[in-house]
């Protein structure tokens, strides 16, 4: 039995069958009139079932792998006398996660009296998200996986004193080493891709190829790229696209192409890219944005970015700007196309053709049908197309729920999203929708880990709820 889509409370209401003591209250970041999914909600993913990716993540991986590596990357800072209190809070958080099955969730510490309006709002939003599960005595494992995994990184920022101007950890990014390692290693993978970006035709095929680069990155087979890059014939890139689509479990590229053609015909639209990771993946996003502007699909591309460090590699505005500068300063003899791209990207930023927007919503576990204001209204009124990148963002599109794999993307996401939306996702979590049944069976037969290892992907397009 599946319930109609709702707000934060719907995470709880889906569990009343197994826990009758749970009561449902209306708790939503969005208005009751905000569009929701067209079909009943399935249950959310929890982290309390051994053998699942969610269980392994919250019971072991997030502490033993992720936070341990974070500690090692930051050890010289964290073990210095100046970080004594920050290290203690970080270690306390790790102890909670080491006992995740029995440690109950708690609220963030109270804000100081002089907290800014933005901090007060962000604190209130987290309290709204957490209250159903704290009231229910949920642990790190029994609350929804989406909530607890996002909360780990919010607690890391709290432990380090990220917003405390008196703390040594003020605006300290504990993941900067990992992100810079990814940035510095990216030109070797990006050089061949960026050479191709400069030659893409300003046609439907160009949009398809730029999107495929953004989805697959260096998994694209460039060895079959046509030699005559000036050839504008529609069949010239068919081999590359066919290769790129081999592991797609659903492909709405034709719908995406048609929508982009309409934007191009009107002089270009406002396109948003909801960014996931820094490093090479961010470079593929920049390459997509490059083509959208150069080909006339977009008059402006807005990058939607995280407002604080999270999920180790997720990109903030500072990471995007650093990437552009790094590429522009590369040795043009060693990486000519990367360096040229960096210069072009700097120009896009200077001319206002590229813009950056950080918002707390992108670091919170609200389902995307509960998109907070004023972000939702802005995207509804301004945005003509949004690309959603990465697995964590895709999980939020689906509310991190166990939809049938064949449930149509339009009925799950396209009907509520504030603008036309294209999700570019390689599968790295045990959920999905809008996938072709025969392709799912093929993936299962080829790979036991087909849901989580990134081998397979989807290109989904939804119309959006309308202005």
């Amino acid at each position: 039995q599946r319930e109609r889509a709702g707000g934060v409370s719907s995470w709880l209401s889906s569990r009343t069958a197994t826990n009758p003591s749970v009561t449902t209250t209306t708790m939503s970041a969005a208005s009751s009139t905000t569009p929701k999914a067209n079909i009943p909600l399935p249950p959310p993913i929890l982290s309390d079932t051994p053998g699942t990716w969610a269980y392994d993540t919250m019971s072991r991986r997030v502490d033993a792998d992720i936070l341990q590596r974070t500690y090692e990357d930051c050890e010289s800072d964290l073990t210095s006398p100046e970080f004594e209190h920050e290290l203690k809070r970080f270690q306390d958080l790790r102890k909670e996660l080491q006992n995740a099955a029995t440690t109950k969730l708690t609220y963030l510490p109270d804000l100081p009296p002089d907290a800014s309006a933005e901090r007060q709002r962000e604190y209130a939003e987290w309290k709204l998200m957490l209250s159903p599960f704290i009231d229910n005595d949920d642990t790190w494992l029994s609350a929804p996986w989406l909530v607890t995994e996002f909360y780990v990184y919010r607690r890391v920022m709290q432990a380090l004193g990220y917003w405390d101007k008196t703390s040594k950890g003020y605006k300290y990014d504990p993941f900067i080493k990992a992100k810079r390692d990814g940035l510095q290693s990216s030109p070797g993978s990006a050089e061949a891709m960026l050479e191709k970006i400069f030659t893409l035709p300003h046609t439907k095929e160009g949009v398809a190829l730029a999107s495929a680069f953004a989805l697959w990155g260096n998994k694209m087979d460039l060895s079959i790229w046509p030699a005559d890059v000036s050839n504008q014939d529609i069949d010239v890139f068919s081999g590359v696209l066919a290769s790129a689509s081999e592991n797609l479990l659903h492909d709405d590229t034709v719908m995406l192409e048609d929508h982009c053609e309409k934007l191009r015909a009107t002089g270009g639209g406002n396109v948003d890219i909801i960014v996931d990771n820094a490093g090479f993946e961010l470079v593929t996003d920049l390459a997509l944005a490059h083509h959208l502007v150069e080909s006339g699909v977009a008059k402006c591309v807005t990058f939607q970015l995280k407002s604080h460090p999270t999920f180790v590699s997720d990109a903030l505005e500072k990471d995007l700007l650093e990437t552009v500068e790094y590429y522009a300063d590369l040795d043009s003899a060693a990486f000519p196309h990367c360096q040229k791209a960096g210069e072009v990207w700097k120009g896009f930023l200077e001319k206002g053709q590229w813009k950056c927007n950080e918002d707390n919503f992108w670091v919170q576990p609200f389902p995307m049908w509960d998109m907070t204001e004023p972000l939702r209204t802005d995207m509804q009124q301004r945005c003509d197309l949004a690309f959603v990148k990465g697995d964590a963002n895709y999980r939020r599109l689906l509310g991190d729920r166990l939809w049938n794999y064949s449930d149509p993307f339009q009925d799950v996401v396209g009907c509520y999203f504030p603008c036309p939306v294209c999700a570019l996702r390689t599968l790295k979590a045990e959920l999905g929708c809008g996938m072709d049944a025969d392709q799912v069976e093929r993936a299962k037969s080829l790979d036991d880990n087909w849901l989580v290892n990134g081998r397979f992907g989807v290109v989904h397009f939804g119309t959006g709820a309308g202005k």
Side-chain angles (χ1 to χ4, degrees):
Q1 183 68 32
R2 302 206 291 186
E3 60 186 292
R4 299 300 297 178
V8 175
S9 62
S10 57
W11 270 320
L12 277 179
S13 58
S14 64
R15 297 158 59 198
T16 56
T18 56
N19 187 352
S21 67
V22 175
T23 58
T24 302
T25 56
T26 301
M27 302 196 64
S28 174
S31 163
S32 60
T33 60
T34 301
K36 312 293 183 187
N38 277 344
I39 52 181
L41 286 178
I45 298 177
L46 309 181
S47 306
D48 56 358
T49 303
T52 62
W53 183 246
Y55 178 85
D56 185 52
T57 296
M58 294 309 303
S59 67
R60 182 196 64 82
R61 195 170 62 91
V62 74
D63 173 66
D65 291 352
I66 297 172
L67 294 190
Q68 176 60 28
R69 185 172 68 247
T70 300
Y71 172 78
E72 292 168 1
D73 286 347
C74 304
E75 186 171 8
S76 60
D77 288 331
L78 292 179
T79 56
S80 66
E82 295 91 341
F83 274 85
E84 177 185 0
H85 299 297
E86 290 77 9
L87 176 60
K88 172 65 165 56
R89 292 192 295 263
F90 182 76
Q91 291 171 330
D92 288 345
L93 172 61
R94 294 194 64 183
K95 289 175 185 175
E96 286 189 36
L97 295 169
Q98 289 159 9
N99 298 279
T102 56
T103 303
K104 296 178 181 179
L105 294 176
T106 57
Y107 290 114
L108 293 167
D110 290 341
L111 289 171
D114 60 348
S116 68
E118 181 185 0
R119 291 267 58 78
Q120 291 178 43
R121 173 183 165 172
E122 188 257 0
Y123 178 89
E125 288 167 344
W126 269 107
K127 189 169 185 178
L128 173 69
M129 283 178 280
L130 291 170
S131 59
F133 315 113
I134 291 176
D135 290 348
N136 195 49
D137 289 332
D138 274 313
T139 69
W140 283 101
L141 298 191
S142 66
W145 179 29
L146 192 70
V147 174
T148 56
E149 192 171 18
F150 272 78
Y151 195 42
V152 166
Y153 294 98
R154 178 60 179 81
R155 287 282 304 276
V156 169
M157 293 297 101
Q158 191 71 33
L160 294 177
Y162 186 78
W163 294 278
D164 181 0
K165 293 182 180 179
T166 67
S167 169
K168 187 67 174 178
Y170 179 66
K171 298 300 179 182
Y172 181 85
D173 186 344
F175 310 126
I176 193 65
K177 181 182 185 301
K179 288 189 282 191
R180 283 186 175 156
D181 286 348
L183 171 59
Q184 291 165 11
S185 65
S186 67
S189 298
E191 177 65 18
M193 177 193 69
L194 291 174
E195 178 184 6
K196 310 309 181 191
I197 286 293
F198 282 105
T199 68
L200 288 183
H202 295 180
T203 62
K204 290 182 177 182
E205 291 71 34
V207 169
L209 286 160
S211 301
F213 279 129
L215 173 61
W216 295 117
N218 60 1
K219 294 181 183 178
M220 288 280 285
D221 184 1
L222 301 183
S223 66
I224 58 176
W225 196 268
D228 182 7
V229 295
S230 64
N231 192 333
Q232 297 296 303
D233 182 74
I234 62 171
D235 294 326
V236 74
F237 295 99
S238 59
V240 184
L241 284 171
S243 174
S245 63
E246 283 179 1
N247 284 339
L248 284 179
L249 304 185
H250 186 81
D251 188 3
D252 282 335
T253 298
V254 171
M255 296 175 68
L256 172 65
E257 291 173 343
D258 290 344
H259 186 75
C260 288
E261 283 299 292
K262 292 175 183 175
L263 295 182
R264 192 184 344 250
T266 61
N270 291 305
V271 178
D272 285 16
I273 299 178
I274 300 171
V275 173
D276 189 30
N277 293 321
F280 177 72
E281 185 178 331
L282 176 59
V283 175
T284 69
D285 297 340
L286 300 178
L288 171 60
H290 179 147
H291 178 72
L292 293 173
V293 171
E294 289 279 271
S295 67
V297 171
K299 59 185 178 184
C300 178
V301 173
T302 299
F303 297 96
Q304 298 286 351
L305 298 148
K306 307 302 192 292
S307 61
H308 66 66
T310 190
F311 279 84
V312 182
S313 56
D314 283 20
L316 286 67
E317 180 176 1
K318 70 178 180 66
D319 301 315
L320 188 150
L321 298 178
E322 182 178 353
T323 299
V324 171
E325 288 291 338
Y326 183 80
Y327 269 62
D329 291 340
L330 284 169
D331 180 356
S332 60
F335 300 106
H337 300 98
C338 289
Q339 195 276 332
K340 180 181 177 183
E343 291 290 350
V344 172
W345 299 344
K346 285 180 69 174
F348 288 152
L349 287 164
E350 290 166 359
K351 296 172 189 173
Q353 293 168 292
W354 281 7
K355 296 179 180 179
C356 296
N357 180 59
E358 292 186 345
D359 195 284
N360 288 329
F361 178 75
W362 305 123
V363 292
Q364 295 171 335
F366 283 123
M368 286 204 192
W369 57 72
D370 279 342
M371 187 179 290
T372 51
E373 294 292 355
L375 179 65
R376 180 182 175 82
T377 296
D378 170 63
M379 292 191 69
Q380 183 178 36
Q381 295 178 353
R382 175 189 54 78
C383 190
D384 299 302
L385 172 64
F387 287 91
V388 179
K389 285 293 305 294
D391 206 72
N393 285 327
Y394 188 89
R395 286 169 57 193
R396 294 183 66 195
L397 284 175
L398 273 59
D400 215 34
R401 289 174 174 273
L402 296 168
W403 302 91
N404 292 328
Y405 296 142
S406 59
D407 285 340
F409 183 80
Q410 178 64 27
D411 287 336
V412 176
V413 176
C415 58
Y416 79 74
F417 205 78
C419 62
V421 57
C422 177
L424 303 174
R425 179 217 184 189
T426 54
L427 278 61
K428 296 179 183 177
E430 296 162 323
L431 83 169
C433 76
M435 293 186 284
D436 304 333
D438 58 337
Q439 294 293 342
V440 168
E441 291 305 313
R442 182 175 71 91
K444 288 179 180 178
S445 69
L446 290 173
D447 195 330
D448 290 341
N449 296 314
W450 69 280
L451 276 170
V452 298
N453 63 11
R455 175 178 176 180
F456 298 95
V458 292
V459 177
H460 283 317
F461 184 84
T463 61
K467 297 187 184 297

